[in-house]
Amino acid sequence: QVQLVESGGGLVQPGGSLRLSCAASGSILSINAMGWYRQAPGAQRELVAIVTRDGSTNYADSVKGRFTISRDNAKNTVYLQMNSLKPEDTAVYYCNAYIRRFTGRPYSGYWGQGTQVTVSS
């Protein structure tokens, strides 16, 4: 089995910062891309940021310059540093990772359980 466990969500005032973490554990051979998605009430889940194994990154236009994604391959962990938070960043944030569990098997996508981020005064 594979588990993705997120942490670091919470309530923050506009302009504040939060750092999300997501650790993958279990039967893991290798991890390809890791990313963060978010889903606000009544909206579809959307990509926030993604990082490949070699460190290449991509961001949604709405978070460029404010959010930074990074990863620690030795710890199978991905981070999302969120600065200058806005009320429209309020959502449940989900971690995603493409994981190969066994030699010869393809990579499969796995999701965390989600962590709530609320930006409000």
Side-chain angles (χ1 to χ4, degrees):
Q1 289 285 6
V2 170
Q3 277 192 316
L4 299 181
V5 179
E6 299 124 331
S7 60
L11 173 65
V12 64
Q13 292 187 342
S17 298
L18 282 175
R19 189 189 194 214
L20 305 182
S21 300
C22 172
S25 63
S27 179
I28 296 172
L29 183 62
S30 65
I31 302 177
N32 198 342
M34 302 183 82
W36 290 94
Y37 292 71
R38 67 186 181 188
Q39 188 167 19
Q44 290 189 335
R45 190 173 298 189
E46 62 175 2
L47 174 68
V48 176
I50 192 167
V51 58
T52 63
R53 184 169 181 82
D54 64 2
S56 298
T57 59
N58 194 28
Y59 296 91
D61 288 342
S62 59
V63 307
K64 282 180 181 177
R66 300 188 298 122
F67 291 10
T68 302
I69 190 170
S70 61
R71 64 189 283 176
D72 184 333
N73 291 330
K75 296 181 179 180
N76 290 338
T77 299
V78 62
Y79 306 96
L80 186 67
Q81 178 66 45
M82 304 185 293
N83 299 328
S84 302
L85 282 160
K86 305 175 181 180
E88 50 263 44
D89 294 318
T90 296
V92 177
Y93 284 69
Y94 297 91
C95 171
N96 174 266
Y98 280 89
I99 295 172
R100 174 179 285 170
R101 297 186 61 197
F102 306 105
T103 302
R105 297 294 297 274
Y107 285 91
S108 296
Y110 292 85
W111 292 92
Q113 80 285 356
T115 184
Q116 177 70 46
V117 171
T118 303
V119 184
S120 174
S121 55

